[in-house]
Amino acid sequence: MEINVLAFGQVADITAKSSLKFSDVKNTNELNQLLLTIHPELQNINYLIAVNKKIIRENTELHHEDTVALLPPFSGG
Amino acid sequence: MEPAKKHKVFVEGPIDPTFIAGSIEKHNKKYSIGAHSIFLGQVRNDKQGEQEVAAIEYTAYREMAEEKFHEIKEDAFKKFPLICMHIYHSLGVVKTGEISLMVFTSSVHRKDAIDACEEIVERIKKEVPVWGKEILNNENYQWKINS
């Protein structure tokens, strides 16, 4: 089971990569905990999580080949 | 009313003023139009201590952003009696004084074009996954915050 993680903006500055892969992560809470362990600096910034392009507000189960995006506050325009 | 087409929104680099003029001209055979409303976002030289913003480099979660733009367009066509609507947003580097966003709405009477244009701009700022990296003149950078 493999999950693609996309990082943008300030989040990508911290992860130093715009695309990461994780395996055997059950849900978004578990993924987030894992990310915070690897990159503790993520604690200092706000970001939303999107699963397959839909922003989620609650813990969400992850499936093989899901794409999870880490979205810091938008600043387009 | 035209259905919202899956039209390309992102352009590489700044939006050229001659392109904007051309967009206006393209409507001159659509005789039912009585009003256009055009919003143009320009990169501003915000100060940061001794430094100021020289350019903004835009990145996006492109697939999600394109879906969001489409949704915003469809919603605006449902809510307002518009004849035409066009949105363009820059990706990559746009220097201070250059245009990075264009929202162009057309309707029979002015209020619909003006109200739709305003709502579309507000929704783009809040809902579309685009990020602006403000590059200062000493080449340091900071992430733009939308007010």
PDB file of all heavy atoms in Angstrom, chain A residues 6 8-10 13 50 52-55 67 69-77, chain B residues 58 60-61 64 67 89 100-101 125-132 141 143-144 146:
ATOM      1  N   LEU A   6       1.969  15.234  -1.549  1.00  0.00           N
ATOM      2  CA  LEU A   6       2.444  16.423  -2.261  1.00  0.00           C
ATOM      3  C   LEU A   6       2.567  17.575  -1.268  1.00  0.00           C
ATOM      4  O   LEU A   6       1.661  17.813  -0.465  1.00  0.00           O
ATOM      5  CB  LEU A   6       1.464  16.820  -3.364  1.00  0.00           C
ATOM      6  CG  LEU A   6       1.139  15.753  -4.411  1.00  0.00           C
ATOM      7  CD1 LEU A   6       0.072  16.267  -5.373  1.00  0.00           C
ATOM      8  CD2 LEU A   6       2.393  15.357  -5.174  1.00  0.00           C
ATOM      9  N   PHE A   8       3.416  21.761  -0.715  1.00  0.00           N
ATOM     10  CA  PHE A   8       3.422  23.043  -1.425  1.00  0.00           C
ATOM     11  C   PHE A   8       3.863  24.179  -0.494  1.00  0.00           C
ATOM     12  O   PHE A   8       3.748  24.060   0.730  1.00  0.00           O
ATOM     13  CB  PHE A   8       2.020  23.353  -1.956  1.00  0.00           C
ATOM     14  CG  PHE A   8       1.552  22.358  -2.973  1.00  0.00           C
ATOM     15  CD1 PHE A   8       0.773  21.275  -2.590  1.00  0.00           C
ATOM     16  CD2 PHE A   8       1.904  22.487  -4.308  1.00  0.00           C
ATOM     17  CE1 PHE A   8       0.357  20.338  -3.516  1.00  0.00           C
ATOM     18  CE2 PHE A   8       1.495  21.555  -5.246  1.00  0.00           C
ATOM     19  CZ  PHE A   8       0.710  20.478  -4.856  1.00  0.00           C
ATOM     20  N   GLY A   9       4.296  25.269  -1.093  1.00  0.00           N
ATOM     21  CA  GLY A   9       4.608  26.495  -0.356  1.00  0.00           C
ATOM     22  C   GLY A   9       5.547  26.247   0.815  1.00  0.00           C
ATOM     23  O   GLY A   9       6.560  25.548   0.681  1.00  0.00           O
ATOM     24  N   GLN A  10       5.190  26.822   1.977  1.00  0.00           N
ATOM     25  CA  GLN A  10       6.041  26.708   3.174  1.00  0.00           C
ATOM     26  C   GLN A  10       6.263  25.254   3.570  1.00  0.00           C
ATOM     27  O   GLN A  10       7.310  24.912   4.127  1.00  0.00           O
ATOM     28  CB  GLN A  10       5.407  27.415   4.388  1.00  0.00           C
ATOM     29  CG  GLN A  10       5.162  28.889   4.220  1.00  0.00           C
ATOM     30  CD  GLN A  10       3.730  29.157   3.809  1.00  0.00           C
ATOM     31  OE1 GLN A  10       3.249  28.605   2.825  1.00  0.00           O
ATOM     32  NE2 GLN A  10       3.047  30.021   4.540  1.00  0.00           N
ATOM     33  N   ASP A  13       9.054  23.915   1.663  1.00  0.00           N
ATOM     34  CA  ASP A  13      10.326  24.446   2.178  1.00  0.00           C
ATOM     35  C   ASP A  13      10.851  23.548   3.294  1.00  0.00           C
ATOM     36  O   ASP A  13      12.044  23.304   3.394  1.00  0.00           O
ATOM     37  CB  ASP A  13      10.124  25.858   2.770  1.00  0.00           C
ATOM     38  CG  ASP A  13      10.133  26.929   1.691  1.00  0.00           C
ATOM     39  OD1 ASP A  13      10.360  26.595   0.510  1.00  0.00           O
ATOM     40  OD2 ASP A  13       9.908  28.108   2.043  1.00  0.00           O
ATOM     41  N   ALA A  50      -5.585  17.707   1.873  1.00  0.00           N
ATOM     42  CA  ALA A  50      -6.540  17.279   0.848  1.00  0.00           C
ATOM     43  C   ALA A  50      -6.233  15.833   0.478  1.00  0.00           C
ATOM     44  O   ALA A  50      -5.064  15.467   0.320  1.00  0.00           O
ATOM     45  CB  ALA A  50      -6.443  18.169  -0.380  1.00  0.00           C
ATOM     46  N   ASN A  52      -6.973  13.194  -2.435  1.00  0.00           N
ATOM     47  CA  ASN A  52      -7.456  13.142  -3.827  1.00  0.00           C
ATOM     48  C   ASN A  52      -8.188  14.429  -4.209  1.00  0.00           C
ATOM     49  O   ASN A  52      -9.297  14.421  -4.744  1.00  0.00           O
ATOM     50  CB  ASN A  52      -8.331  11.912  -4.046  1.00  0.00           C
ATOM     51  CG  ASN A  52      -7.571  10.642  -3.753  1.00  0.00           C
ATOM     52  OD1 ASN A  52      -6.351  10.570  -3.962  1.00  0.00           O
ATOM     53  ND2 ASN A  52      -8.256   9.634  -3.242  1.00  0.00           N
ATOM     54  N   LYS A  53      -7.547  15.554  -3.890  1.00  0.00           N
ATOM     55  CA  LYS A  53      -7.984  16.911  -4.260  1.00  0.00           C
ATOM     56  C   LYS A  53      -9.176  17.445  -3.469  1.00  0.00           C
ATOM     57  O   LYS A  53      -9.672  18.521  -3.760  1.00  0.00           O
ATOM     58  CB  LYS A  53      -8.265  17.014  -5.773  1.00  0.00           C
ATOM     59  CG  LYS A  53      -7.014  16.828  -6.621  1.00  0.00           C
ATOM     60  CD  LYS A  53      -7.303  16.907  -8.090  1.00  0.00           C
ATOM     61  CE  LYS A  53      -7.810  15.584  -8.599  1.00  0.00           C
ATOM     62  NZ  LYS A  53      -8.106  15.641 -10.034  1.00  0.00           N
ATOM     63  N   LYS A  54      -9.650  16.691  -2.483  1.00  0.00           N
ATOM     64  CA  LYS A  54     -10.755  17.189  -1.643  1.00  0.00           C
ATOM     65  C   LYS A  54     -10.211  17.491  -0.253  1.00  0.00           C
ATOM     66  O   LYS A  54      -9.599  16.619   0.375  1.00  0.00           O
ATOM     67  CB  LYS A  54     -11.879  16.140  -1.514  1.00  0.00           C
ATOM     68  CG  LYS A  54     -12.610  15.872  -2.821  1.00  0.00           C
ATOM     69  CD  LYS A  54     -13.745  16.876  -3.028  1.00  0.00           C
ATOM     70  CE  LYS A  54     -14.361  16.800  -4.419  1.00  0.00           C
ATOM     71  NZ  LYS A  54     -13.520  17.321  -5.521  1.00  0.00           N
ATOM     72  N   ILE A  55     -10.454  18.716   0.214  1.00  0.00           N
ATOM     73  CA  ILE A  55      -9.980  19.096   1.548  1.00  0.00           C
ATOM     74  C   ILE A  55     -10.780  18.323   2.594  1.00  0.00           C
ATOM     75  O   ILE A  55     -12.016  18.262   2.516  1.00  0.00           O
ATOM     76  CB  ILE A  55     -10.094  20.622   1.741  1.00  0.00           C
ATOM     77  CG1 ILE A  55      -9.045  21.317   0.859  1.00  0.00           C
ATOM     78  CG2 ILE A  55      -9.896  21.006   3.219  1.00  0.00           C
ATOM     79  CD1 ILE A  55      -9.169  22.808   0.768  1.00  0.00           C
ATOM     80  N   THR A  67      -3.654  10.246  -3.156  1.00  0.00           N
ATOM     81  CA  THR A  67      -2.757  11.402  -3.148  1.00  0.00           C
ATOM     82  C   THR A  67      -3.184  12.348  -2.037  1.00  0.00           C
ATOM     83  O   THR A  67      -4.331  12.798  -2.003  1.00  0.00           O
ATOM     84  CB  THR A  67      -2.792  12.137  -4.507  1.00  0.00           C
ATOM     85  OG1 THR A  67      -2.332  11.228  -5.502  1.00  0.00           O
ATOM     86  CG2 THR A  67      -1.907  13.367  -4.504  1.00  0.00           C
ATOM     87  N   ALA A  69      -2.399  15.915  -0.225  1.00  0.00           N
ATOM     88  CA  ALA A  69      -1.690  17.178  -0.441  1.00  0.00           C
ATOM     89  C   ALA A  69      -1.680  17.989   0.845  1.00  0.00           C
ATOM     90  O   ALA A  69      -2.686  18.044   1.553  1.00  0.00           O
ATOM     91  CB  ALA A  69      -2.351  17.961  -1.566  1.00  0.00           C
ATOM     92  N   LEU A  70      -0.536  18.585   1.142  1.00  0.00           N
ATOM     93  CA  LEU A  70      -0.374  19.425   2.331  1.00  0.00           C
ATOM     94  C   LEU A  70      -0.417  20.873   1.858  1.00  0.00           C
ATOM     95  O   LEU A  70       0.469  21.321   1.127  1.00  0.00           O
ATOM     96  CB  LEU A  70       0.957  19.111   3.016  1.00  0.00           C
ATOM     97  CG  LEU A  70       1.213  17.612   3.269  1.00  0.00           C
ATOM     98  CD1 LEU A  70       2.621  17.397   3.791  1.00  0.00           C
ATOM     99  CD2 LEU A  70       0.176  17.052   4.240  1.00  0.00           C
ATOM    100  N   LEU A  71      -1.477  21.588   2.265  1.00  0.00           N
ATOM    101  CA  LEU A  71      -1.766  22.895   1.673  1.00  0.00           C
ATOM    102  C   LEU A  71      -1.659  24.013   2.708  1.00  0.00           C
ATOM    103  O   LEU A  71      -2.572  24.206   3.513  1.00  0.00           O
ATOM    104  CB  LEU A  71      -3.182  22.887   1.073  1.00  0.00           C
ATOM    105  CG  LEU A  71      -3.547  21.695   0.184  1.00  0.00           C
ATOM    106  CD1 LEU A  71      -5.037  21.732  -0.150  1.00  0.00           C
ATOM    107  CD2 LEU A  71      -2.727  21.701  -1.092  1.00  0.00           C
ATOM    108  N   PRO A  72      -0.583  24.785   2.691  1.00  0.00           N
ATOM    109  CA  PRO A  72      -0.510  25.958   3.562  1.00  0.00           C
ATOM    110  C   PRO A  72      -1.509  27.015   3.067  1.00  0.00           C
ATOM    111  O   PRO A  72      -2.100  26.844   1.997  1.00  0.00           O
ATOM    112  CB  PRO A  72       0.941  26.424   3.415  1.00  0.00           C
ATOM    113  CG  PRO A  72       1.406  25.873   2.113  1.00  0.00           C
ATOM    114  CD  PRO A  72       0.623  24.625   1.866  1.00  0.00           C
ATOM    115  N   PRO A  73      -1.733  28.095   3.854  1.00  0.00           N
ATOM    116  CA  PRO A  73      -2.745  29.089   3.441  1.00  0.00           C
ATOM    117  C   PRO A  73      -2.530  29.570   2.003  1.00  0.00           C
ATOM    118  O   PRO A  73      -1.403  29.866   1.603  1.00  0.00           O
ATOM    119  CB  PRO A  73      -2.531  30.223   4.456  1.00  0.00           C
ATOM    120  CG  PRO A  73      -1.932  29.549   5.652  1.00  0.00           C
ATOM    121  CD  PRO A  73      -1.079  28.445   5.118  1.00  0.00           C
ATOM    122  N   PHE A  74      -3.611  29.638   1.259  1.00  0.00           N
ATOM    123  CA  PHE A  74      -3.524  30.025  -0.158  1.00  0.00           C
ATOM    124  C   PHE A  74      -3.175  31.506  -0.275  1.00  0.00           C
ATOM    125  O   PHE A  74      -3.636  32.327   0.516  1.00  0.00           O
ATOM    126  CB  PHE A  74      -4.856  29.766  -0.868  1.00  0.00           C
ATOM    127  CG  PHE A  74      -5.353  28.347  -0.745  1.00  0.00           C
ATOM    128  CD1 PHE A  74      -6.704  28.068  -0.787  1.00  0.00           C
ATOM    129  CD2 PHE A  74      -4.461  27.293  -0.597  1.00  0.00           C
ATOM    130  CE1 PHE A  74      -7.175  26.758  -0.675  1.00  0.00           C
ATOM    131  CE2 PHE A  74      -4.914  25.978  -0.489  1.00  0.00           C
ATOM    132  CZ  PHE A  74      -6.279  25.718  -0.523  1.00  0.00           C
ATOM    133  N   SER A  75      -2.404  31.836  -1.291  1.00  0.00           N
ATOM    134  CA  SER A  75      -2.062  33.249  -1.487  1.00  0.00           C
ATOM    135  C   SER A  75      -1.954  33.585  -2.970  1.00  0.00           C
ATOM    136  O   SER A  75      -1.006  34.207  -3.423  1.00  0.00           O
ATOM    137  CB  SER A  75      -0.780  33.596  -0.733  1.00  0.00           C
ATOM    138  OG  SER A  75       0.276  32.714  -1.085  1.00  0.00           O
ATOM    139  N   GLY A  76      -2.981  33.157  -3.699  1.00  0.00           N
ATOM    140  CA  GLY A  76      -3.033  33.488  -5.121  1.00  0.00           C
ATOM    141  C   GLY A  76      -3.533  34.903  -5.338  1.00  0.00           C
ATOM    142  O   GLY A  76      -3.884  35.602  -4.387  1.00  0.00           O
ATOM    143  N   GLY A  77      -3.580  35.307  -6.590  1.00  0.00           N
ATOM    144  CA  GLY A  77      -4.107  36.628  -6.956  1.00  0.00           C
ATOM    145  C   GLY A  77      -3.043  37.689  -6.935  1.00  0.00           C
ATOM    146  O   GLY A  77      -1.899  37.433  -6.630  1.00  0.00           O
TER     147      GLY A  77
ATOM    148  N   TYR B  58       4.699  32.416  -8.435  1.00  0.00           N
ATOM    149  CA  TYR B  58       3.479  31.655  -8.139  1.00  0.00           C
ATOM    150  C   TYR B  58       3.651  30.184  -8.453  1.00  0.00           C
ATOM    151  O   TYR B  58       4.167  29.818  -9.516  1.00  0.00           O
ATOM    152  CB  TYR B  58       2.304  32.193  -8.970  1.00  0.00           C
ATOM    153  CG  TYR B  58       1.856  33.571  -8.558  1.00  0.00           C
ATOM    154  CD1 TYR B  58       2.290  34.700  -9.249  1.00  0.00           C
ATOM    155  CD2 TYR B  58       0.999  33.755  -7.475  1.00  0.00           C
ATOM    156  CE1 TYR B  58       1.878  35.974  -8.874  1.00  0.00           C
ATOM    157  CE2 TYR B  58       0.583  35.016  -7.095  1.00  0.00           C
ATOM    158  CZ  TYR B  58       1.024  36.118  -7.795  1.00  0.00           C
ATOM    159  OH  TYR B  58       0.617  37.372  -7.414  1.00  0.00           O
ATOM    160  N   ALA B  60       1.279  26.332  -7.894  1.00  0.00           N
ATOM    161  CA  ALA B  60      -0.093  25.875  -7.657  1.00  0.00           C
ATOM    162  C   ALA B  60      -0.130  24.361  -7.552  1.00  0.00           C
ATOM    163  O   ALA B  60       0.746  23.670  -8.074  1.00  0.00           O
ATOM    164  CB  ALA B  60      -0.997  26.315  -8.801  1.00  0.00           C
ATOM    165  N   TYR B  61      -1.152  23.874  -6.870  1.00  0.00           N
ATOM    166  CA  TYR B  61      -1.521  22.466  -6.974  1.00  0.00           C
ATOM    167  C   TYR B  61      -2.446  22.440  -8.178  1.00  0.00           C
ATOM    168  O   TYR B  61      -3.642  22.641  -8.071  1.00  0.00           O
ATOM    169  CB  TYR B  61      -2.216  22.022  -5.691  1.00  0.00           C
ATOM    170  CG  TYR B  61      -2.638  20.569  -5.638  1.00  0.00           C
ATOM    171  CD1 TYR B  61      -2.275  19.646  -6.617  1.00  0.00           C
ATOM    172  CD2 TYR B  61      -3.405  20.126  -4.572  1.00  0.00           C
ATOM    173  CE1 TYR B  61      -2.660  18.332  -6.533  1.00  0.00           C
ATOM    174  CE2 TYR B  61      -3.799  18.793  -4.485  1.00  0.00           C
ATOM    175  CZ  TYR B  61      -3.423  17.903  -5.471  1.00  0.00           C
ATOM    176  OH  TYR B  61      -3.814  16.594  -5.388  1.00  0.00           O
ATOM    177  N   MET B  64      -5.846  20.435  -8.726  1.00  0.00           N
ATOM    178  CA  MET B  64      -6.911  20.849  -7.822  1.00  0.00           C
ATOM    179  C   MET B  64      -7.346  22.283  -8.137  1.00  0.00           C
ATOM    180  O   MET B  64      -8.542  22.602  -8.121  1.00  0.00           O
ATOM    181  CB  MET B  64      -6.429  20.745  -6.370  1.00  0.00           C
ATOM    182  CG  MET B  64      -7.491  21.063  -5.352  1.00  0.00           C
ATOM    183  SD  MET B  64      -6.851  20.854  -3.664  1.00  0.00           S
ATOM    184  CE  MET B  64      -8.075  21.788  -2.755  1.00  0.00           C
ATOM    185  N   GLU B  67      -9.660  22.415 -11.133  1.00  0.00           N
ATOM    186  CA  GLU B  67     -11.018  21.991 -10.759  1.00  0.00           C
ATOM    187  C   GLU B  67     -11.750  23.096 -10.004  1.00  0.00           C
ATOM    188  O   GLU B  67     -12.935  23.336 -10.208  1.00  0.00           O
ATOM    189  CB  GLU B  67     -10.959  20.735  -9.879  1.00  0.00           C
ATOM    190  CG  GLU B  67     -10.654  19.493 -10.670  1.00  0.00           C
ATOM    191  CD  GLU B  67     -10.764  18.214  -9.819  1.00  0.00           C
ATOM    192  OE1 GLU B  67     -11.267  18.272  -8.678  1.00  0.00           O
ATOM    193  OE2 GLU B  67     -10.332  17.179 -10.323  1.00  0.00           O
ATOM    194  N   HIS B  89      -4.753  33.443 -14.511  1.00  0.00           N
ATOM    195  CA  HIS B  89      -3.871  33.581 -13.353  1.00  0.00           C
ATOM    196  C   HIS B  89      -2.462  33.178 -13.759  1.00  0.00           C
ATOM    197  O   HIS B  89      -2.277  32.171 -14.433  1.00  0.00           O
ATOM    198  CB  HIS B  89      -4.374  32.686 -12.210  1.00  0.00           C
ATOM    199  CG  HIS B  89      -3.779  33.038 -10.879  1.00  0.00           C
ATOM    200  ND1 HIS B  89      -2.423  32.979 -10.635  1.00  0.00           N
ATOM    201  CD2 HIS B  89      -4.348  33.480  -9.731  1.00  0.00           C
ATOM    202  CE1 HIS B  89      -2.187  33.366  -9.381  1.00  0.00           C
ATOM    203  NE2 HIS B  89      -3.347  33.670  -8.812  1.00  0.00           N
ATOM    204  N   SER B 100      -0.904  39.763 -12.525  1.00  0.00           N
ATOM    205  CA  SER B 100      -0.863  38.327 -12.227  1.00  0.00           C
ATOM    206  C   SER B 100      -2.243  37.668 -12.200  1.00  0.00           C
ATOM    207  O   SER B 100      -2.346  36.452 -12.148  1.00  0.00           O
ATOM    208  CB  SER B 100      -0.192  38.097 -10.873  1.00  0.00           C
ATOM    209  OG  SER B 100      -0.897  38.786  -9.859  1.00  0.00           O
ATOM    210  N   LEU B 101      -3.303  38.485 -12.177  1.00  0.00           N
ATOM    211  CA  LEU B 101      -4.658  37.917 -12.163  1.00  0.00           C
ATOM    212  C   LEU B 101      -5.587  38.812 -12.973  1.00  0.00           C
ATOM    213  O   LEU B 101      -5.541  40.037 -12.855  1.00  0.00           O
ATOM    214  CB  LEU B 101      -5.178  37.832 -10.717  1.00  0.00           C
ATOM    215  CG  LEU B 101      -6.663  37.444 -10.537  1.00  0.00           C
ATOM    216  CD1 LEU B 101      -6.958  36.048 -11.046  1.00  0.00           C
ATOM    217  CD2 LEU B 101      -7.084  37.559  -9.068  1.00  0.00           C
ATOM    218  N   LYS B 125      -9.127  34.059  -4.211  1.00  0.00           N
ATOM    219  CA  LYS B 125      -8.155  34.328  -3.136  1.00  0.00           C
ATOM    220  C   LYS B 125      -8.298  33.317  -1.987  1.00  0.00           C
ATOM    221  O   LYS B 125      -7.319  32.936  -1.373  1.00  0.00           O
ATOM    222  CB  LYS B 125      -8.369  35.742  -2.586  1.00  0.00           C
ATOM    223  CG  LYS B 125      -8.123  36.820  -3.634  1.00  0.00           C
ATOM    224  CD  LYS B 125      -6.905  37.619  -3.298  1.00  0.00           C
ATOM    225  CE  LYS B 125      -6.593  38.646  -4.361  1.00  0.00           C
ATOM    226  NZ  LYS B 125      -5.262  39.220  -4.158  1.00  0.00           N
ATOM    227  N   LYS B 126      -9.541  32.932  -1.685  1.00  0.00           N
ATOM    228  CA  LYS B 126      -9.783  32.046  -0.536  1.00  0.00           C
ATOM    229  C   LYS B 126      -9.658  30.565  -0.868  1.00  0.00           C
ATOM    230  O   LYS B 126      -9.239  29.783  -0.034  1.00  0.00           O
ATOM    231  CB  LYS B 126     -11.211  32.275  -0.003  1.00  0.00           C
ATOM    232  CG  LYS B 126     -11.345  33.492   0.882  1.00  0.00           C
ATOM    233  CD  LYS B 126     -12.666  33.434   1.668  1.00  0.00           C
ATOM    234  CE  LYS B 126     -13.065  34.807   2.172  1.00  0.00           C
ATOM    235  NZ  LYS B 126     -13.841  35.588   1.203  1.00  0.00           N
ATOM    236  N   GLU B 127     -10.074  30.164  -2.066  1.00  0.00           N
ATOM    237  CA  GLU B 127     -10.328  28.738  -2.298  1.00  0.00           C
ATOM    238  C   GLU B 127      -9.375  28.031  -3.260  1.00  0.00           C
ATOM    239  O   GLU B 127      -9.391  26.813  -3.337  1.00  0.00           O
ATOM    240  CB  GLU B 127     -11.763  28.567  -2.839  1.00  0.00           C
ATOM    241  CG  GLU B 127     -12.823  29.034  -1.863  1.00  0.00           C
ATOM    242  CD  GLU B 127     -14.223  28.960  -2.480  1.00  0.00           C
ATOM    243  OE1 GLU B 127     -14.471  28.071  -3.311  1.00  0.00           O
ATOM    244  OE2 GLU B 127     -15.047  29.829  -2.129  1.00  0.00           O
ATOM    245  N   VAL B 128      -8.602  28.809  -4.022  1.00  0.00           N
ATOM    246  CA  VAL B 128      -7.790  28.142  -5.050  1.00  0.00           C
ATOM    247  C   VAL B 128      -6.365  27.905  -4.526  1.00  0.00           C
ATOM    248  O   VAL B 128      -5.723  28.834  -4.024  1.00  0.00           O
ATOM    249  CB  VAL B 128      -7.771  28.977  -6.355  1.00  0.00           C
ATOM    250  CG1 VAL B 128      -6.945  28.271  -7.419  1.00  0.00           C
ATOM    251  CG2 VAL B 128      -9.185  29.199  -6.875  1.00  0.00           C
ATOM    252  N   PRO B 129      -5.885  26.643  -4.612  1.00  0.00           N
ATOM    253  CA  PRO B 129      -4.554  26.337  -4.077  1.00  0.00           C
ATOM    254  C   PRO B 129      -3.415  26.881  -4.944  1.00  0.00           C
ATOM    255  O   PRO B 129      -2.807  26.161  -5.738  1.00  0.00           O
ATOM    256  CB  PRO B 129      -4.539  24.809  -3.995  1.00  0.00           C
ATOM    257  CG  PRO B 129      -5.528  24.359  -5.014  1.00  0.00           C
ATOM    258  CD  PRO B 129      -6.572  25.431  -5.122  1.00  0.00           C
ATOM    259  N   VAL B 130      -3.177  28.172  -4.757  1.00  0.00           N
ATOM    260  CA  VAL B 130      -2.064  28.863  -5.420  1.00  0.00           C
ATOM    261  C   VAL B 130      -1.274  29.552  -4.311  1.00  0.00           C
ATOM    262  O   VAL B 130      -1.867  30.040  -3.343  1.00  0.00           O
ATOM    263  CB  VAL B 130      -2.588  29.912  -6.423  1.00  0.00           C
ATOM    264  CG1 VAL B 130      -1.439  30.748  -6.991  1.00  0.00           C
ATOM    265  CG2 VAL B 130      -3.354  29.256  -7.569  1.00  0.00           C
ATOM    266  N   TRP B 131       0.050  29.571  -4.452  1.00  0.00           N
ATOM    267  CA  TRP B 131       0.897  30.210  -3.447  1.00  0.00           C
ATOM    268  C   TRP B 131       1.838  31.206  -4.107  1.00  0.00           C
ATOM    269  O   TRP B 131       2.399  30.939  -5.170  1.00  0.00           O
ATOM    270  CB  TRP B 131       1.715  29.156  -2.693  1.00  0.00           C
ATOM    271  CG  TRP B 131       0.828  28.236  -1.930  1.00  0.00           C
ATOM    272  CD1 TRP B 131       0.339  28.423  -0.673  1.00  0.00           C
ATOM    273  CD2 TRP B 131       0.260  26.999  -2.391  1.00  0.00           C
ATOM    274  NE1 TRP B 131      -0.488  27.389  -0.323  1.00  0.00           N
ATOM    275  CE2 TRP B 131      -0.549  26.502  -1.351  1.00  0.00           C
ATOM    276  CE3 TRP B 131       0.357  26.272  -3.582  1.00  0.00           C
ATOM    277  CZ2 TRP B 131      -1.257  25.312  -1.465  1.00  0.00           C
ATOM    278  CZ3 TRP B 131      -0.349  25.091  -3.704  1.00  0.00           C
ATOM    279  CH2 TRP B 131      -1.138  24.614  -2.653  1.00  0.00           C
ATOM    280  N   GLY B 132       1.973  32.349  -3.453  1.00  0.00           N
ATOM    281  CA  GLY B 132       2.862  33.391  -3.961  1.00  0.00           C
ATOM    282  C   GLY B 132       4.083  33.523  -3.061  1.00  0.00           C
ATOM    283  O   GLY B 132       3.961  33.755  -1.858  1.00  0.00           O
ATOM    284  N   TYR B 141      13.328  35.594   0.483  1.00  0.00           N
ATOM    285  CA  TYR B 141      11.910  35.533   0.136  1.00  0.00           C
ATOM    286  C   TYR B 141      11.049  35.327   1.363  1.00  0.00           C
ATOM    287  O   TYR B 141      11.534  34.957   2.438  1.00  0.00           O
ATOM    288  CB  TYR B 141      11.662  34.433  -0.904  1.00  0.00           C
ATOM    289  CG  TYR B 141      11.824  33.032  -0.365  1.00  0.00           C
ATOM    290  CD1 TYR B 141      10.764  32.391   0.286  1.00  0.00           C
ATOM    291  CD2 TYR B 141      13.017  32.340  -0.527  1.00  0.00           C
ATOM    292  CE1 TYR B 141      10.908  31.097   0.784  1.00  0.00           C
ATOM    293  CE2 TYR B 141      13.167  31.053  -0.036  1.00  0.00           C
ATOM    294  CZ  TYR B 141      12.112  30.436   0.619  1.00  0.00           C
ATOM    295  OH  TYR B 141      12.248  29.168   1.114  1.00  0.00           O
ATOM    296  N   TRP B 143       6.676  34.129   2.243  1.00  0.00           N
ATOM    297  CA  TRP B 143       5.443  33.659   1.612  1.00  0.00           C
ATOM    298  C   TRP B 143       4.367  34.711   1.761  1.00  0.00           C
ATOM    299  O   TRP B 143       4.139  35.240   2.836  1.00  0.00           O
ATOM    300  CB  TRP B 143       5.023  32.315   2.194  1.00  0.00           C
ATOM    301  CG  TRP B 143       5.963  31.237   1.769  1.00  0.00           C
ATOM    302  CD1 TRP B 143       7.038  30.747   2.465  1.00  0.00           C
ATOM    303  CD2 TRP B 143       5.973  30.566   0.506  1.00  0.00           C
ATOM    304  NE1 TRP B 143       7.697  29.795   1.717  1.00  0.00           N
ATOM    305  CE2 TRP B 143       7.072  29.668   0.516  1.00  0.00           C
ATOM    306  CE3 TRP B 143       5.159  30.634  -0.637  1.00  0.00           C
ATOM    307  CZ2 TRP B 143       7.357  28.845  -0.577  1.00  0.00           C
ATOM    308  CZ3 TRP B 143       5.457  29.802  -1.722  1.00  0.00           C
ATOM    309  CH2 TRP B 143       6.542  28.930  -1.681  1.00  0.00           C
ATOM    310  N   LYS B 144       3.726  35.005   0.654  1.00  0.00           N
ATOM    311  CA  LYS B 144       2.652  36.003   0.615  1.00  0.00           C
ATOM    312  C   LYS B 144       1.495  35.556   1.512  1.00  0.00           C
ATOM    313  O   LYS B 144       1.201  34.362   1.604  1.00  0.00           O
ATOM    314  CB  LYS B 144       2.177  36.111  -0.837  1.00  0.00           C
ATOM    315  CG  LYS B 144       1.075  37.082  -1.133  1.00  0.00           C
ATOM    316  CD  LYS B 144       0.892  37.149  -2.657  1.00  0.00           C
ATOM    317  CE  LYS B 144      -0.244  38.051  -3.070  1.00  0.00           C
ATOM    318  NZ  LYS B 144      -1.516  37.359  -3.211  1.00  0.00           N
ATOM    319  N   ASN B 146      -2.559  36.396   2.029  1.00  0.00           N
ATOM    320  CA  ASN B 146      -3.705  37.126   1.474  1.00  0.00           C
ATOM    321  C   ASN B 146      -4.493  37.787   2.596  1.00  0.00           C
ATOM    322  O   ASN B 146      -4.830  37.146   3.583  1.00  0.00           O
ATOM    323  CB  ASN B 146      -4.614  36.185   0.681  1.00  0.00           C
ATOM    324  CG  ASN B 146      -4.127  36.000  -0.739  1.00  0.00           C
ATOM    325  OD1 ASN B 146      -3.154  36.618  -1.167  1.00  0.00           O
ATOM    326  ND2 ASN B 146      -4.810  35.148  -1.483  1.00  0.00           N
TER     327      ASN B 146
END
